[in-house]
Coordinates of all heavy atoms in Angstrom, one line a residue:
Y1 N 11.6 9.7 -8.1 CA 10.5 9.1 -8.7 C 10.7 9.2 -10.3 O 10.9 10.3 -10.8 CB 9.2 9.9 -8.3 CG 8.0 9.3 -9.0 CD1 7.4 8.2 -8.5 CD2 7.5 10.0 -10.0 CE1 6.2 7.7 -9.1 CE2 6.4 9.5 -10.7 CZ 5.7 8.4 -10.2 OH 4.5 7.9 -10.7
D2 N 10.7 8.1 -10.9 CA 10.8 8.1 -12.4 C 10.5 6.8 -12.9 O 10.4 5.8 -12.0 CB 12.4 8.5 -12.7 CG 12.5 8.9 -14.2 OD1 11.6 8.6 -15.0 OD2 13.4 9.6 -14.5
E3 N 10.2 6.7 -14.1 CA 9.9 5.4 -14.7 C 11.2 4.6 -14.9 O 12.1 5.2 -15.3 CB 9.2 5.7 -16.1 CG 8.8 4.3 -16.8 CD 8.2 4.6 -18.1 OE1 8.3 5.7 -18.6 OE2 7.5 3.7 -18.7
S4 N 11.1 3.3 -14.5 CA 12.3 2.5 -14.7 C 11.9 1.3 -15.5 O 10.7 1.0 -15.7 CB 12.8 2.1 -13.4 OG 11.9 1.2 -12.6
Y5 N 12.9 0.6 -16.1 CA 12.7 -0.6 -16.8 C 13.4 -1.7 -16.1 O 14.4 -1.5 -15.6 CB 13.3 -0.4 -18.3 CG 12.5 0.6 -19.0 CD1 13.2 1.7 -19.6 CD2 11.2 0.4 -19.4 CE1 12.5 2.6 -20.4 CE2 10.5 1.4 -20.1 CZ 11.2 2.4 -20.6 OH 10.5 3.4 -21.4
W6 N 13.0 -2.9 -16.2 CA 13.6 -4.1 -15.6 C 13.3 -5.2 -16.5 O 12.7 -5.1 -17.6 CB 13.1 -4.3 -14.2 CG 11.7 -4.6 -14.0 CD1 11.1 -5.8 -13.9 CD2 10.6 -3.6 -13.9 NE1 9.8 -5.7 -13.7 CE2 9.5 -4.4 -13.7 CE3 10.6 -2.3 -13.9 CZ2 8.3 -3.8 -13.5 CZ3 9.3 -1.7 -13.8 CH2 8.2 -2.5 -13.6
K7 N 14.0 -6.3 -16.2 CA 14.0 -7.5 -17.1 C 14.7 -7.2 -18.4 O 14.2 -7.6 -19.4 CB 12.6 -8.0 -17.2 CG 12.0 -8.6 -16.0 CD 10.6 -9.2 -16.1 CE 10.1 -9.6 -14.7 NZ 8.8 -10.2 -14.8
L8 N 15.8 -6.4 -18.3 CA 16.5 -6.1 -19.5 C 17.4 -7.3 -19.8 O 17.7 -8.2 -19.0 CB 17.4 -4.9 -19.2 CG 16.7 -3.6 -18.8 CD1 17.8 -2.6 -18.3 CD2 16.0 -3.0 -20.0
T9 N 17.8 -7.4 -21.1 CA 18.6 -8.5 -21.5 C 20.0 -8.0 -21.8 O 20.2 -6.8 -22.0 CB 18.1 -9.2 -22.8 OG1 18.0 -8.3 -23.8 CG2 16.7 -9.8 -22.5
G10 N 21.0 -8.8 -21.8 CA 22.4 -8.3 -22.0 C 23.3 -9.1 -21.2 O 23.0 -9.9 -20.4
Q11 N 24.6 -8.7 -21.2 CA 25.7 -9.3 -20.4 C 26.1 -8.3 -19.4 O 26.9 -7.3 -19.7 CB 26.8 -9.6 -21.3 CG 26.3 -10.7 -22.4 CD 25.8 -11.9 -21.8 OE1 26.3 -12.4 -20.9 NE2 24.8 -12.4 -22.5
P12 N 25.7 -8.4 -18.1 CA 26.1 -7.3 -17.1 C 27.6 -7.2 -16.9 O 28.1 -6.2 -16.6 CB 25.4 -7.9 -15.8 CG 24.4 -8.8 -16.3 CD 24.8 -9.4 -17.6
Q13 N 28.3 -8.4 -17.2 CA 29.8 -8.3 -17.0 C 30.4 -7.4 -18.1 O 31.6 -7.0 -18.0 CB 30.4 -9.6 -17.0 CG 30.4 -10.4 -18.4 CD 29.0 -11.2 -18.5 OE1 28.0 -10.9 -17.8 NE2 29.0 -12.1 -19.5
D14 N 29.7 -7.0 -19.1 CA 30.2 -6.1 -20.2 C 30.1 -4.7 -19.9 O 30.6 -3.8 -20.7 CB 29.5 -6.5 -21.5 CG 29.9 -7.8 -22.1 OD1 30.9 -8.4 -21.6 OD2 29.2 -8.3 -23.0
V15 N 29.5 -4.2 -18.9 CA 29.3 -2.9 -18.5 C 29.9 -2.6 -17.1 O 30.1 -3.4 -16.2 CB 27.8 -2.5 -18.5 CG1 27.2 -2.8 -19.9 CG2 27.0 -3.1 -17.5
T16 N 30.0 -1.2 -16.9 CA 30.4 -0.7 -15.6 C 29.1 -0.2 -15.0 O 28.6 0.9 -15.4 CB 31.5 0.4 -15.6 OG1 32.6 -0.3 -16.2 CG2 31.8 0.9 -14.2
L17 N 28.6 -0.8 -14.0 CA 27.3 -0.5 -13.4 C 27.5 0.8 -12.5 O 28.4 0.8 -11.6 CB 26.8 -1.7 -12.6 CG 25.4 -1.6 -12.0 CD1 24.3 -1.2 -13.0 CD2 25.0 -2.8 -11.2
L18 N 26.7 1.8 -12.6 CA 26.7 3.0 -11.9 C 25.6 3.1 -10.8 O 25.7 3.7 -9.7 CB 26.7 4.3 -12.7 CG 27.8 4.3 -13.7 CD1 27.7 5.5 -14.7 CD2 29.1 4.4 -13.1
A19 N 24.4 2.6 -11.2 CA 23.2 2.8 -10.3 C 22.2 1.7 -10.6 O 22.1 1.2 -11.7 CB 22.6 4.1 -10.5
T20 N 21.5 1.3 -9.6 CA 20.5 0.2 -9.6 C 19.3 0.7 -8.9 O 19.3 1.7 -8.2 CB 20.9 -1.1 -9.0 OG1 21.2 -0.8 -7.6 CG2 22.1 -1.7 -9.7
S21 N 18.1 0.1 -9.2 CA 16.9 0.3 -8.5 C 16.4 -1.1 -8.1 O 16.8 -2.1 -8.6 CB 15.8 1.1 -9.4 OG 15.5 0.2 -10.5
I22 N 15.5 -1.2 -7.2 CA 14.9 -2.4 -6.8 C 13.7 -2.6 -7.4 O 12.7 -1.8 -7.3 CB 14.7 -2.5 -5.2 CG1 16.1 -2.2 -4.5 CG2 14.1 -3.8 -4.8 CD1 17.1 -3.2 -4.9
E23 N 13.5 -3.6 -8.3 CA 12.3 -3.9 -9.0 C 11.9 -5.4 -8.8 O 12.7 -6.3 -8.9 CB 12.5 -3.8 -10.5 CG 13.0 -2.4 -10.9 CD 12.1 -1.2 -10.7 OE1 10.9 -1.5 -10.6 OE2 12.5 -0.2 -10.6
D24 N 10.7 -5.6 -8.2 CA 10.3 -7.0 -7.8 C 11.2 -7.6 -6.8 O 11.5 -8.8 -6.9 CB 10.0 -7.8 -9.1 CG 8.9 -7.3 -9.9 OD1 8.0 -6.7 -9.4 OD2 9.0 -7.6 -11.1
G25 N 11.9 -6.8 -6.0 CA 12.8 -7.2 -4.9 C 14.2 -7.6 -5.6 O 15.1 -8.1 -4.7
I26 N 14.5 -7.3 -6.7 CA 15.8 -7.5 -7.4 C 16.5 -6.3 -7.8 O 15.9 -5.4 -8.4 CB 15.6 -8.5 -8.5 CG1 14.9 -9.8 -8.2 CG2 16.8 -8.8 -9.3 CD1 14.3 -10.6 -9.3
P27 N 17.8 -6.2 -7.5 CA 18.5 -5.0 -7.9 C 18.6 -5.0 -9.4 O 18.9 -6.1 -10.1 CB 20.0 -5.1 -7.3 CG 19.8 -6.1 -6.3 CD 18.6 -7.0 -6.6
T28 N 18.2 -3.9 -10.1 CA 18.1 -3.8 -11.6 C 18.9 -2.6 -12.0 O 18.7 -1.5 -11.5 CB 16.6 -3.7 -12.0 OG1 15.9 -4.7 -11.4 CG2 16.4 -3.7 -13.4
P29 N 19.8 -2.8 -13.0 CA 20.6 -1.7 -13.6 C 19.8 -0.6 -14.1 O 18.8 -0.8 -14.8 CB 21.4 -2.4 -14.7 CG 21.4 -3.9 -14.4 CD 20.1 -4.1 -13.8
Q30 N 20.2 0.7 -13.8 CA 19.5 1.8 -14.2 C 20.4 2.8 -14.9 O 20.0 3.6 -15.7 CB 18.7 2.5 -13.1 CG 17.6 1.6 -12.6 CD 16.5 1.4 -13.5 OE1 15.9 2.2 -14.2 NE2 16.2 0.1 -13.7
M31 N 21.7 2.9 -14.6 CA 22.7 3.6 -15.2 C 24.0 2.8 -15.3 O 24.4 2.1 -14.4 CB 23.1 4.8 -14.3 CG 22.1 5.9 -14.3 SD 22.6 7.3 -13.4 CE 21.4 8.6 -13.9
W32 N 24.6 2.9 -16.5 CA 25.9 2.2 -16.7 C 26.7 2.7 -17.8 O 26.2 3.6 -18.6 CB 25.6 0.7 -16.9 CG 24.8 0.3 -18.2 CD1 25.3 0.1 -19.4 CD2 23.4 0.2 -18.3 NE1 24.3 -0.2 -20.3 CE2 23.2 -0.2 -19.6 CE3 22.4 0.3 -17.4 CZ2 21.9 -0.3 -20.1 CZ3 21.1 0.1 -17.8 CH2 20.8 -0.2 -19.2
T33 N 27.9 2.4 -17.9 CA 28.8 2.8 -19.0 C 29.4 1.6 -19.7 O 29.4 0.5 -19.1 CB 29.9 3.7 -18.5 OG1 30.8 2.9 -17.6 CG2 29.5 4.9 -17.8
R34 N 29.9 1.8 -20.9 CA 30.6 0.7 -21.6 C 31.6 1.4 -22.5 O 31.3 2.4 -23.2 CB 29.6 -0.1 -22.4 CG 30.4 -1.2 -23.2 CD 29.6 -2.4 -23.5 NE 30.4 -3.4 -24.1 CZ 30.2 -4.2 -25.1 NH1 28.9 -4.2 -25.5 NH2 30.9 -5.1 -25.5
E35 N 32.8 0.9 -22.7 CA 33.8 1.2 -23.5 C 34.1 0.1 -24.5 O 34.2 -1.0 -24.0 CB 35.1 1.6 -22.8 CG 35.0 2.9 -22.0 CD 36.3 3.3 -21.4 OE1 37.1 3.8 -22.2 OE2 36.5 3.1 -20.2
R36 N 34.2 0.3 -25.7 CA 34.6 -0.6 -26.7 C 35.4 0.0 -27.8 O 34.9 0.9 -28.5 CB 33.4 -1.3 -27.3 CG 33.7 -2.5 -28.2 CD 32.5 -3.3 -28.5 NE 32.9 -4.4 -29.3 CZ 32.0 -5.2 -29.9 NH1 30.7 -5.1 -29.7 NH2 32.5 -6.2 -30.6
G37 N 36.7 -0.4 -27.9 CA 37.6 0.2 -28.9 C 37.8 1.7 -28.4 O 38.0 2.0 -27.3
H38 N 37.5 2.6 -29.4 CA 37.6 4.0 -29.1 C 36.3 4.6 -28.7 O 36.1 5.8 -28.4 CB 38.1 4.8 -30.3 CG 39.4 4.4 -30.7 ND1 40.6 4.8 -29.9 CD2 40.0 3.7 -31.7 CE1 41.7 4.3 -30.5 NE2 41.3 3.6 -31.6
G39 N 35.2 3.8 -28.7 CA 33.9 4.3 -28.4 C 33.5 4.2 -26.9 O 33.9 3.3 -26.1
R40 N 32.7 5.0 -26.4 CA 32.1 5.1 -25.1 C 30.6 5.3 -25.1 O 30.1 6.1 -25.9 CB 32.7 6.3 -24.3 CG 34.2 6.0 -23.9 CD 34.7 7.2 -23.1 NE 35.9 6.8 -22.3 CZ 36.6 7.6 -21.5 NH1 36.1 8.8 -21.3 NH2 37.7 7.2 -21.0
V41 N 29.9 4.7 -24.2 CA 28.5 4.8 -24.1 C 28.2 5.0 -22.6 O 28.7 4.4 -21.7 CB 27.8 3.5 -24.6 CG1 26.3 3.7 -24.3 CG2 28.0 3.3 -26.0
F42 N 27.2 6.0 -22.4 CA 26.7 6.2 -21.0 C 25.2 6.1 -21.1 O 24.6 6.7 -22.0 CB 27.0 7.6 -20.5 CG 26.2 8.1 -19.3 CD1 26.5 7.5 -18.1 CD2 25.2 9.0 -19.5 CE1 25.7 8.0 -17.0 CE2 24.4 9.4 -18.4 CZ 24.7 8.9 -17.1
V43 N 24.6 5.2 -20.3 CA 23.2 4.9 -20.4 C 22.5 5.4 -19.0 O 23.0 5.0 -18.0 CB 22.9 3.3 -20.6 CG1 21.4 3.1 -20.6 CG2 23.6 3.0 -21.9
S44 N 21.4 6.0 -19.2 CA 20.6 6.5 -18.1 C 19.1 6.1 -18.4 O 18.5 6.7 -19.2 CB 20.8 7.9 -17.9 OG 19.8 8.4 -16.8
I45 N 18.6 5.1 -17.7 CA 17.2 4.7 -17.8 C 16.4 5.9 -17.3 O 15.4 6.3 -17.9 CB 16.9 3.4 -17.2 CG1 17.8 2.3 -17.9 CG2 15.4 3.1 -17.3 CD1 17.5 2.1 -19.4
P46 N 16.7 6.4 -16.0 CA 15.9 7.5 -15.6 C 16.0 8.8 -16.5 O 17.0 9.0 -17.1 CB 16.4 7.8 -14.2 CG 17.0 6.6 -13.8 CD 17.6 6.0 -15.1
G47 N 14.9 9.6 -16.5 CA 15.0 10.8 -17.3 C 13.8 10.9 -18.2 O 13.8 11.6 -19.2
H48 N 12.7 10.2 -17.9 CA 11.5 10.2 -18.8 C 10.6 11.4 -18.6 O 9.8 11.7 -19.5 CB 10.7 8.9 -18.5 CG 11.4 7.7 -19.0 ND1 12.2 7.0 -18.1 CD2 11.3 7.1 -20.1 CE1 12.6 5.9 -18.8 NE2 12.2 6.0 -20.1
Y49 N 10.7 12.1 -17.5 CA 9.9 13.3 -17.2 C 10.7 14.6 -17.4 O 11.8 14.6 -16.9 CB 9.3 13.1 -15.9 CG 8.5 11.9 -15.7 CD1 8.9 10.8 -14.9 CD2 7.2 11.8 -16.3 CE1 8.2 9.7 -14.7 CE2 6.4 10.6 -16.1 CZ 7.0 9.6 -15.3 OH 6.2 8.4 -15.1
S50 N 10.1 15.6 -18.0 CA 10.9 16.8 -18.1 C 11.3 17.4 -16.8 O 12.4 17.9 -16.7 CB 10.0 17.8 -18.9 OG 8.8 18.1 -18.2
W51 N 10.5 17.2 -15.8 CA 10.9 17.8 -14.4 C 12.1 17.0 -13.8 O 12.7 17.5 -12.9 CB 9.7 17.8 -13.5 CG 8.9 16.6 -13.3 CD1 7.7 16.4 -14.1 CD2 9.1 15.4 -12.6 NE1 7.2 15.1 -13.7 CE2 8.0 14.5 -12.8 CE3 10.1 15.0 -11.7 CZ2 8.0 13.3 -12.3 CZ3 10.1 13.8 -11.2 CH2 9.0 12.9 -11.4
T52 N 12.4 15.8 -14.3 CA 13.6 15.2 -13.8 C 14.8 16.0 -14.0 O 15.8 16.1 -13.2 CB 13.8 13.8 -14.5 OG1 12.6 13.0 -14.3 CG2 15.0 13.0 -13.9
F53 N 14.9 16.8 -15.1 CA 16.0 17.6 -15.4 C 16.1 18.9 -14.6 O 17.0 19.6 -14.6 CB 16.0 17.9 -16.9 CG 16.1 16.7 -17.7 CD1 15.0 16.1 -18.2 CD2 17.3 16.1 -18.0 CE1 15.0 14.9 -19.0 CE2 17.4 15.0 -18.8 CZ 16.3 14.4 -19.3
D54 N 15.1 19.1 -13.7 CA 15.1 20.3 -12.8 C 15.9 19.9 -11.6 O 16.3 20.7 -10.7 CB 13.7 20.8 -12.4 CG 12.9 21.3 -13.5 OD1 13.6 21.8 -14.4 OD2 11.7 21.3 -13.4
D55 N 16.2 18.6 -11.3 CA 17.0 18.1 -10.2 C 18.5 18.3 -10.4 O 19.0 17.7 -11.4 CB 16.6 16.6 -10.0 CG 17.3 16.0 -8.7 OD1 18.4 16.6 -8.3 OD2 16.8 15.0 -8.2
P56 N 19.1 19.1 -9.6 CA 20.6 19.4 -9.9 C 21.4 18.1 -9.8 O 22.5 18.0 -10.4 CB 21.0 20.5 -8.9 CG 19.9 20.4 -7.9 CD 18.6 19.9 -8.6
L57 N 21.0 17.2 -8.9 CA 21.8 16.0 -8.8 C 21.7 15.1 -10.0 O 22.7 14.5 -10.4 CB 21.3 15.2 -7.6 CG 21.6 15.8 -6.2 CD1 21.0 15.0 -5.1 CD2 23.0 16.1 -5.9
F58 N 20.5 15.0 -10.6 CA 20.3 14.3 -11.8 C 21.1 14.9 -13.0 O 21.8 14.3 -13.8 CB 18.8 14.1 -12.2 CG 18.7 13.3 -13.5 CD1 18.8 11.9 -13.4 CD2 18.5 14.0 -14.7 CE1 18.6 11.1 -14.6 CE2 18.3 13.2 -15.8 CZ 18.4 11.9 -15.9
R59 N 21.0 16.3 -13.0 CA 21.8 17.1 -14.0 C 23.3 16.7 -13.9 O 24.0 16.6 -14.9 CB 21.5 18.5 -13.8 CG 20.3 19.1 -14.4 CD 20.4 20.5 -14.3 NE 19.0 21.0 -14.7 CZ 18.8 22.3 -14.7 NH1 19.8 23.2 -14.6 NH2 17.6 22.8 -15.1
T60 N 23.8 16.7 -12.7 CA 25.2 16.4 -12.5 C 25.6 15.1 -13.0 O 26.6 15.0 -13.8 CB 25.5 16.5 -11.0 OG1 25.3 17.9 -10.5 CG2 27.0 16.2 -10.7
L61 N 24.8 14.1 -12.7 CA 25.0 12.7 -13.2 C 25.0 12.7 -14.7 O 25.9 12.2 -15.4 CB 24.0 11.8 -12.7 CG 24.2 11.3 -11.2 CD1 22.9 10.6 -10.7 CD2 25.4 10.5 -11.1
L62 N 24.0 13.3 -15.3 CA 23.8 13.3 -16.7 C 24.9 14.0 -17.4 O 25.5 13.5 -18.5 CB 22.5 13.9 -17.1 CG 22.0 13.7 -18.6 CD1 21.9 12.3 -18.9 CD2 20.8 14.5 -18.8
L63 N 25.2 15.2 -17.1 CA 26.3 16.0 -17.6 C 27.7 15.4 -17.6 O 28.5 15.4 -18.4 CB 26.2 17.5 -17.1 CG 25.0 18.2 -17.5 CD1 24.9 19.5 -16.7 CD2 24.9 18.5 -19.0
R64 N 27.9 14.8 -16.4 CA 29.2 14.1 -16.2 C 29.2 12.9 -17.2 O 30.3 12.6 -17.7 CB 29.4 13.7 -14.8 CG 29.8 14.9 -13.9 CD 30.0 14.5 -12.5 NE 30.6 15.8 -11.8 CZ 30.9 15.7 -10.5 NH1 30.9 14.6 -9.8 NH2 31.3 16.8 -9.9
G65 N 28.2 12.2 -17.3 CA 28.1 11.0 -18.2 C 28.3 11.5 -19.7 O 29.1 10.8 -20.4
I66 N 27.8 12.6 -20.1 CA 28.0 13.1 -21.4 C 29.4 13.5 -21.5 O 30.1 13.3 -22.6 CB 27.1 14.4 -21.7 CG1 25.6 13.9 -21.7 CG2 27.5 15.1 -22.9 CD1 24.7 15.0 -21.7
A67 N 30.0 14.3 -20.6 CA 31.5 14.6 -20.7 C 32.3 13.4 -20.7 O 33.3 13.4 -21.6 CB 31.8 15.5 -19.4
W68 N 32.1 12.4 -19.9 CA 32.9 11.2 -20.0 C 32.9 10.6 -21.3 O 33.9 10.1 -21.9 CB 32.5 10.2 -18.9 CG 33.2 8.9 -18.9 CD1 34.4 8.7 -18.2 CD2 32.8 7.7 -19.5 NE1 34.7 7.3 -18.6 CE2 33.8 6.8 -19.3 CE3 31.7 7.4 -20.4 CZ2 33.7 5.5 -19.8 CZ3 31.6 6.0 -20.9 CH2 32.6 5.1 -20.6
T69 N 31.7 10.4 -21.9 CA 31.5 9.8 -23.2 C 32.3 10.6 -24.3 O 32.8 10.0 -25.1 CB 29.9 9.9 -23.6 OG1 29.2 9.1 -22.6 CG2 29.7 9.1 -24.9
A70 N 32.3 11.9 -24.2 CA 33.1 12.7 -25.1 C 34.6 12.8 -24.8 O 35.3 13.5 -25.5 CB 32.5 14.1 -25.1
K71 N 35.0 12.0 -23.8 CA 36.4 12.1 -23.3 C 36.8 13.5 -22.9 O 38.0 13.9 -23.2 CB 37.4 11.5 -24.4 CG 36.9 10.1 -24.6 CD 37.9 9.3 -25.6 CE 37.4 7.8 -25.8 NZ 38.3 7.1 -26.7
E72 N 35.9 14.2 -22.3 CA 36.3 15.6 -21.8 C 36.3 15.5 -20.3 O 35.9 14.4 -19.7 CB 35.0 16.5 -22.1 CG 34.9 16.9 -23.5 CD 36.0 17.8 -24.0 OE1 36.4 18.7 -23.2 OE2 36.3 17.7 -25.2
P73 N 36.9 16.4 -19.6 CA 36.9 16.4 -18.1 C 35.5 16.3 -17.6 O 34.6 17.0 -18.1 CB 37.6 17.7 -17.8 CG 38.4 18.2 -18.9 CD 37.6 17.6 -20.1
I74 N 35.3 15.5 -16.5 CA 34.0 15.2 -16.1 C 33.3 16.4 -15.5 O 32.0 16.6 -15.5 CB 33.8 14.1 -15.0 CG1 34.6 14.4 -13.8 CG2 34.3 12.8 -15.7 CD1 34.3 13.5 -12.6
D75 N 34.0 17.5 -15.2 CA 33.4 18.7 -14.7 C 33.2 19.8 -15.8 O 33.0 20.9 -15.5 CB 34.2 19.3 -13.5 CG 35.7 19.6 -13.9 OD1 36.1 19.4 -15.0 OD2 36.4 20.2 -13.0
R76 N 33.4 19.4 -17.0 CA 33.3 20.3 -18.2 C 32.0 21.1 -18.2 O 32.1 22.2 -18.6 CB 33.5 19.4 -19.4 CG 33.1 20.1 -20.7 CD 34.3 21.0 -21.2 NE 34.2 21.5 -22.5 CZ 33.4 22.4 -22.9 NH1 32.6 23.1 -22.1 NH2 33.4 22.8 -24.2
F77 N 31.0 20.5 -17.7 CA 29.7 21.1 -17.9 C 29.0 21.6 -16.6 O 27.8 21.8 -16.4 CB 28.6 20.2 -18.6 CG 29.1 19.8 -19.9 CD1 29.3 18.4 -20.3 CD2 29.2 20.7 -21.0 CE1 29.8 18.0 -21.5 CE2 29.6 20.2 -22.3 CZ 29.9 19.0 -22.5
N78 N 29.8 21.7 -15.5 CA 29.4 22.0 -14.2 C 28.6 23.4 -14.2 O 27.6 23.5 -13.4 CB 30.5 22.2 -13.2 CG 31.0 20.8 -12.7 OD1 30.4 19.7 -13.1 ND2 32.0 20.8 -11.9
D79 N 29.0 24.3 -15.0 CA 28.2 25.5 -15.1 C 26.7 25.4 -15.5 O 25.9 26.4 -15.4 CB 28.9 26.6 -16.0 CG 30.2 27.0 -15.4 OD1 30.4 26.9 -14.3 OD2 31.0 27.6 -16.3
L80 N 26.4 24.3 -16.1 CA 25.0 24.0 -16.6 C 24.2 23.3 -15.5 O 22.9 23.0 -15.8 CB 25.1 23.2 -17.8 CG 25.8 23.8 -19.0 CD1 25.9 22.7 -20.1 CD2 25.2 25.0 -19.5
V81 N 24.8 23.0 -14.3 CA 24.0 22.2 -13.3 C 23.0 23.0 -12.7 O 21.8 22.6 -12.5 CB 24.9 21.6 -12.3 CG1 24.1 21.1 -11.1 CG2 25.9 20.5 -12.9
T82 N 23.2 24.3 -12.2 CA 22.2 25.1 -11.4 C 21.3 25.9 -12.2 O 20.2 26.2 -11.6 CB 23.1 25.8 -10.3 OG1 24.0 26.7 -11.0 CG2 23.7 24.9 -9.4
P83 N 21.6 26.5 -13.3 CA 20.6 27.4 -14.0 C 19.2 26.9 -14.2 O 19.1 25.8 -14.9 CB 21.2 27.8 -15.3 CG 22.7 27.6 -15.1 CD 22.8 26.4 -14.1
G84 N 18.3 27.4 -13.5 CA 16.9 26.9 -13.7 C 16.5 25.6 -12.9 O 15.4 25.2 -12.9
A85 N 17.5 25.2 -12.1 CA 17.3 23.9 -11.2 C 16.4 24.2 -10.1 O 16.4 25.4 -9.6 CB 18.6 23.3 -10.9
R86 N 15.7 23.3 -9.5 CA 14.9 23.4 -8.3 C 15.9 23.3 -7.2 O 16.4 22.2 -6.9 CB 13.8 22.3 -8.3 CG 12.7 22.5 -9.1 CD 11.6 21.5 -8.9 NE 12.2 20.2 -9.6 CZ 12.1 19.1 -9.1 NH1 11.5 18.9 -7.9 NH2 12.5 18.0 -9.7
M87 N 16.2 24.4 -6.6 CA 17.1 24.4 -5.4 C 16.5 25.2 -4.3 O 15.8 26.2 -4.5 CB 18.5 25.0 -5.8 CG 19.1 24.1 -7.0 SD 20.7 24.8 -7.5 CE 21.7 24.6 -6.0
T88 N 16.8 24.9 -3.0 CA 16.4 25.6 -1.9 C 17.6 26.1 -1.2 O 18.7 25.6 -1.2 CB 15.5 24.8 -0.9 OG1 16.2 23.7 -0.5 CG2 14.2 24.3 -1.7
K89 N 17.4 27.2 -0.4 CA 18.5 27.8 0.3 C 18.4 27.3 1.7 O 17.5 27.0 2.3 CB 18.4 29.3 0.3 CG 18.7 29.9 -1.1 CD 18.7 31.3 -1.0 CE 19.0 31.9 -2.4 NZ 19.1 33.3 -2.5

C-alpha cells in the first residue's frame, strides 16, 4: 500500500523497467533505472510514507538501487536492511 503516480510522460524505451502497478487497468511504471554516459539513475515512485521504510523488502530494493547508482556491489548495504524493520519470526 503506497501512493502511486500514473499518466507519466516520457519515453519508456529509454529506461529499464523494474516494477509496475495497475492504475485504471493499465500497467504503469513505478520503479526503473536509466544509464546515460557515466551517469546512472534509479527511480522509485513508492516510498511516500515513513512506514514504507520499515518493510525489509522495500529497503532491499531501495538500498540495492542506491548501490547500483553509485556503481557499488548491489549487496553493499545489506547490513542496513533489517535493523528496525518490521519482521516476524
Side-chain angles (χ1 to χ4, degrees):
Y1 179 82
D2 201 333
E3 183 180 14
S4 61
Y5 295 118
W6 61 99
K7 298 185 181 176
L8 301 171
T9 61
Q11 303 299 321
Q13 67 272 15
D14 291 343
V15 302
T16 300
L17 185 60
L18 303 176
T20 61
S21 65
I22 303 298
E23 307 294 342
D24 296 331
I26 300 168
T28 304
Q30 295 298 307
M31 286 185 167
W32 61 89
T33 63
R34 179 155 189 217
E35 289 187 77
R36 187 168 182 187
H38 295 290
R40 286 182 165 183
V41 175
F42 165 74
V43 176
S44 171
I45 300 298
H48 291 89
Y49 301 106
S50 60
W51 47 262
T52 302
F53 299 94
D54 291 338
D55 182 336
L57 295 175
F58 182 77
R59 281 188 190 183
T60 299
L61 286 169
L62 186 65
L63 292 168
R64 286 184 175 182
I66 291 169
W68 177 85
T69 300
K71 298 184 180 180
E72 292 287 328
I74 62 165
D75 60 354
R76 168 79 167 79
F77 301 115
N78 281 358
D79 292 341
L80 301 175
V81 170
T82 56
R86 284 181 288 139
M87 299 178 63
T88 60
K89 293 183 180 186

